[in-house]
Amino acid sequence: MTVLEIINEVQVKLRLPVSTALTTAHAKLLLAFINEVQRNYMLMDTVWDELKVYLSVNTVAGTAIYAVPAPSSGELDTIRSIQIAYNDPLVMLSDGDFLSHQRVNTTQAEPKKYRHRSRTAAGVITIEVSAVPDAIYAMDMECQIKPPRLTLGSETPLLDEDTIILGVAWLAKKDDGNDDREDFAAFQAMNSLRAGDKGNSNLGDVEPI
């Protein structure tokens, strides 16, 4: 379904006039809700295969801090795992635990731990590894991007349209000050169902966190 078709579906559910384009105030509001649902609420409990990207960053001997730039395919949201060759994935630590580990492990070696240091407005995530590398290692990363922000009525969302429709209907009722509890429950149930169905399938479309 296109963005405009999703908006029309929600308007029908709410028994409201159907927009023929994204020129009305209500259509623009529902478009904002579509982006909010797919870029925030649908990512809270689930990792979607449609949003996975794979990056590789090489270490430099004697350097512990690395910038992970946003991929060309989208806006970097999270780093899910970091692995060097066939070794176990690096363990992500909190700032306190990482600094404690770093104080004890002062010898340069292959990194085993890491922490998230910062994120810039441009979508670059900075990580710090420990031990400080003693050589060049290829850090293979599985990351997640955010769904692209939709702006046109003819665009098609990456994620499940039925879940988006329920989420937009919930936000529309909430915005109007109406009782939105049933709509929120329906959205949560559908999101969990899609995660369960796809996560347990051979296709592996979705993996619950």
Side-chain angles (χ1 to χ4, degrees):
M1 295 178 72
T2 66
V3 165
L4 185 57
E5 288 171 338
I6 289 173
I7 288 172
N8 292 161
E9 182 89 5
V10 173
Q11 289 170 329
V12 169
K13 285 174 66 70
L14 299 177
R15 296 179 175 83
L16 294 173
V18 172
S19 300
T20 57
L22 297 183
T23 53
T24 66
H26 190 254
K28 292 177 182 178
L29 177 64
L30 294 186
L31 172 60
F33 288 160
I34 289 175
N35 282 314
E36 186 175 352
V37 167
Q38 64 150 1
R39 287 171 58 84
N40 294 301
Y41 294 108
M42 290 180 72
L43 306 188
M44 286 183 176
D45 301 314
T46 309
V47 174
W48 300 79
D49 272 358
E50 293 91 334
L51 303 178
K52 289 180 182 178
V53 294
Y54 299 90
L55 307 172
S56 185
V57 174
N58 288 338
T59 65
V60 176
T63 300
I65 299 173
Y66 299 89
V68 183
S72 58
S73 57
E75 177 185 348
L76 191 61
D77 183 39
T78 58
I79 298 172
R80 299 195 62 235
S81 68
I82 302 175
Q83 190 167 358
I84 295 175
Y86 294 101
N87 299 329
D88 292 336
L90 274 65
V91 177
M92 186 176 73
L93 300 178
S94 66
D95 288 344
D97 289 343
F98 180 88
L99 293 174
S100 297
H101 178 272
Q102 196 177 47
R103 289 189 196 100
V104 175
N105 295 272
T106 57
T107 303
Q108 293 187 7
E110 180 182 323
K112 301 295 183 182
K113 317 284 185 182
Y114 78 103
R115 68 163 170 164
H116 285 245
R117 278 180 61 93
S118 64
R119 177 195 299 271
T120 69
V124 177
I125 293 177
T126 301
I127 64 169
E128 184 172 7
V129 299
S130 182
V132 175
D134 62 339
I136 297 174
Y137 299 97
M139 297 188 292
D140 297 319
M141 304 180 182
E142 181 182 287
C143 305
Q144 178 174 283
I145 60 172
K146 277 185 173 287
R149 189 176 297 278
L150 302 170
T151 59
L152 302 175
S154 59
E155 291 179 301
T156 303
L158 276 180
L159 302 184
D160 182 70
E161 58 199 27
D162 291 330
T163 307
I164 293 174
I165 288 170
L166 289 175
V168 173
W170 158 55
L171 288 180
K173 281 196 174 181
K174 182 180 180 182
D175 185 69
D176 284 338
N178 296 322
D179 186 353
D180 64 309
R181 288 173 294 182
E182 289 188 5
D183 298 88
F184 179 58
F187 166 67
Q188 281 191 312
M190 179 63 78
N191 205 34
S192 297
L193 178 64
R194 289 291 183 260
D197 285 350
K198 295 183 179 182
N200 292 329
S201 72
N202 290 328
L203 295 176
D205 293 330
V206 177
E207 296 176 2
I209 294 176

